Amino acid sequence: MKHAWKKLLAAAVLPCLLAGCGALGGPESEVPSMDHLLGLTQEQRLEDYDYLVQTLGDSYLCMGVRDRDNPEDPSAAIFQAYREMIQESDSDEVFYSAVYSTLFRLGTYGHLWIVEPDMYRAYCEAYEDGGIQDREHWREVLTDPVTVRGYERLQTLLDAYGEEDGTVNSADSEEPAANLHTLLLPGGDVGYVKIDSFPAEYEDSYATDRAALTDFYRQAADCTDLIIDLTDNSGGSEVYWQQLLAAPLTDRPLSCTNYALLAESGNNRPYIQEVFSPEELHPIADLPDLPKLERDGIQTATHFVESTLSVEPAAERAPFHGRIWVLVGPAVYSASESFAVFCQETGFATLVGSPTGGDGIGALDPVFLQLPNSGILVQFTMMFGLNGDGSSSEETGTTPDILSPAGEPALVTALRAMEGVA
């Protein structure tokens, strides 16, 4: 499944949720009962859960991919089991456990996940404080009074679980690990840079990485080859690779275009109208015949758009002019996947390693699904990207130009390939 790190985090919290955390709320506990901390009636809980299931059904196009990957655990059975769990208990605690557990079992296909309070605060900071521009509907949902009140109550519920114990987040005070590592390999002919994420322009690490890369390109000026290692990079911002990797290292404009599908549901419509003009939206009936398009699971798609990745040369060209190799693997996802697609389709670099994680075509901020009574948000990717042959970007990712033999690191494969084409 996608995003193994998120799965591990969820696995650590989920048993506590399902077990009700022991004696919390019992007669000897000072913690108040969690059964009604969200202020919901039983009818409202069921209404929220049914809304979640219905909206995913008409708005989220990755369920078919998810179910093909997990035939032993179909989504329909998951929805039924957790609806029954809510129905059998008059408890906000059980309701939240059911929603959380539903999304945990569905997996993070297409960035699907519950927006937890720490993530909610991060989104508010990014969208409200001007870091992310031109996303008015995203801001409206985040600042909706139902959402704000819901997250205040949800924080109270999670505080009752003890998740805010000072020892839990003690690592937050440590110095963050460097995002970027560079070196010149022995012999001085090959430059190597490993990038673990693509920070957004408004993040401090973006400026740090920009300065480091500019300096490194000067160090690598006389190299014949440059290796960009993305094997641990699960994405971030496309602007990062466009401005810091591609633009400084090309002498000409580069672009590639793929299709992405959309479902113009009630949930998605305001996002679609904000991002796309009517002229950019093409009826799904006009989608060209694509040999590997799997239609199961995308029946609710109503439109497609042309998703173009493009880069103009930087005003000042980096001094390195050699061959570029990009190392990829299963962790490559979202914005790092879009870079892999760009490299392969424009010829900017040679991809080496193993197939990527996908979801890099039609990159757009995840949209929100707001549960009407609790105000809890669920995020997912609205756009369903297609590779050139019609296969799902989320499902198949990108196959590298040079595949590494089983057990061989992508770096070793790349170094061998350099010798063969020298």
Side-chain angles (χ1 to χ4, degrees):
M1 291 186 180
K2 312 295 183 183
H3 288 190
W5 62 270
K6 176 64 82 173
K7 291 292 193 176
L8 293 174
L9 176 62
V13 178
L14 187 65
C16 178
L17 292 174
L18 294 178
C21 292
L24 283 178
E28 296 181 6
S29 172
E30 296 181 0
V31 180
S33 168
M34 293 180 287
D35 287 344
H36 303 288
L37 286 181
L38 296 180
L40 302 175
T41 65
Q42 180 71 325
E43 181 180 1
Q44 288 174 322
R45 297 184 197 107
L46 289 170
E47 183 182 356
D48 271 16
Y49 194 79
D50 289 342
Y51 184 83
L52 170 67
V53 175
Q54 177 185 340
T55 306
L56 288 179
D58 63 26
S59 305
Y60 170 71
L61 295 176
C62 287
M63 199 67 78
V65 174
R66 185 266 162 209
D67 281 351
R68 284 192 291 276
D69 272 0
N70 302 271
E72 77 294 341
D73 191 27
S75 56
I78 293 172
F79 293 140
Q80 180 179 350
Y82 288 110
R83 191 186 194 281
E84 291 175 357
M85 178 177 168
I86 296 170
Q87 195 167 21
E88 293 169 359
S89 175
D90 181 23
S91 169
D92 289 343
E93 174 193 9
V94 170
F95 164 75
Y96 181 70
S97 297
V99 173
Y100 188 105
S101 302
T102 295
L103 295 166
F104 171 79
R105 283 178 61 184
L106 290 177
T108 54
Y109 294 85
H111 292 79
L112 179 66
W113 192 247
I114 192 168
V115 177
E116 298 172 89
D118 58 344
M119 189 184 300
Y120 172 72
R121 289 188 288 269
Y123 273 135
C124 288
E125 182 178 350
Y127 284 97
E128 291 184 56
D129 295 345
I132 299 177
Q133 304 290 338
D134 304 322
R135 292 290 185 265
E136 185 58 34
H137 189 65
W138 279 259
R139 279 189 286 275
E140 288 176 0
V141 173
L142 289 166
T143 58
D144 184 290
V146 175
T147 307
V148 174
R149 182 174 63 252
Y151 275 88
E152 290 172 351
R153 292 175 172 176
L154 179 57
Q155 187 63 65
T156 300
L157 177 65
L158 296 183
D159 285 346
Y161 281 128
E163 287 185 22
E164 297 303 317
D165 189 315
T167 61
V168 173
N169 297 316
S170 59
D172 291 350
S173 60
E174 298 178 2
E175 188 72 20
N179 180 55
L180 185 149
H181 303 273
T182 64
L183 73 152
L184 299 181
L185 298 186
D189 292 333
V190 180
Y192 171 90
V193 56
K194 187 174 189 297
I195 307 172
D196 292 337
S197 68
F198 290 156
E201 284 182 286
Y202 58 85
E203 297 181 70
D204 293 342
S205 51
Y206 180 93
T208 301
D209 284 8
R210 180 178 57 194
L213 285 167
T214 299
D215 183 60
F216 180 63
Y217 294 149
R218 286 194 291 265
Q219 296 177 38
D222 296 328
C223 291
T224 58
D225 297 272
L226 173 63
I227 296 173
I228 301 173
D229 187 344
L230 302 182
T231 52
D232 291 323
N233 190 315
S234 60
S237 169
E238 284 189 340
V239 172
Y240 184 103
W241 67 256
Q242 290 169 336
Q243 297 300 315
L244 304 189
L245 300 179
L249 297 171
T250 183
D251 294 315
R252 60 188 178 87
L254 296 171
S255 68
C256 61
T257 299
N258 293 86
Y259 297 128
L261 310 185
L262 294 163
E264 193 181 17
S265 64
N267 185 85
N268 293 351
R269 187 172 297 113
Y271 296 101
I272 292 173
Q273 292 175 344
E274 182 168 335
V275 176
F276 299 106
S277 68
E279 294 75 22
E280 293 176 298
L281 295 170
H282 307 288
I284 196 68
D286 295 342
L287 184 70
D289 289 333
L290 300 169
K292 293 190 177 182
L293 178 64
E294 173 57 73
R295 294 187 179 274
D296 181 35
I298 59 171
Q299 292 90 337
T300 59
T302 57
H303 296 83
F304 71 94
V305 296
E306 294 182 350
S307 175
T308 300
L309 299 168
S310 60
V311 169
E312 293 290 329
E316 183 177 349
R317 173 68 156 86
F320 171 81
H321 288 263
R323 299 173 302 194
I324 302 172
W325 310 75
V326 174
L327 309 186
V328 296
V332 171
Y333 190 73
S334 191
S336 55
E337 167 71 10
S338 73
F339 183 48
V341 171
F342 174 85
C343 290
Q344 189 169 71
E345 296 198 6
T346 65
F348 172 77
T350 300
L351 297 186
V352 182
S354 53
T356 61
D359 199 24
I361 293 172
L364 183 68
D365 311 27
V367 301
F368 301 125
L369 183 169
Q370 181 201 51
L371 301 186
N373 298 304
S374 65
I376 293 171
L377 302 179
V378 173
Q379 66 166 43
F380 62 89
T381 298
M382 180 174 64
M383 300 178 73
F384 187 81
L386 302 178
N387 296 316
D389 59 6
S391 60
S392 161
S393 173
E394 172 71 34
E395 189 164 14
T396 64
T398 299
T399 300
D401 302 304
I402 303 175
L403 280 166
S404 295
E408 180 175 272
L411 177 58
V412 174
T413 308
L415 293 174
R416 285 197 297 103
M418 288 176 196
E419 295 177 359
V421 298

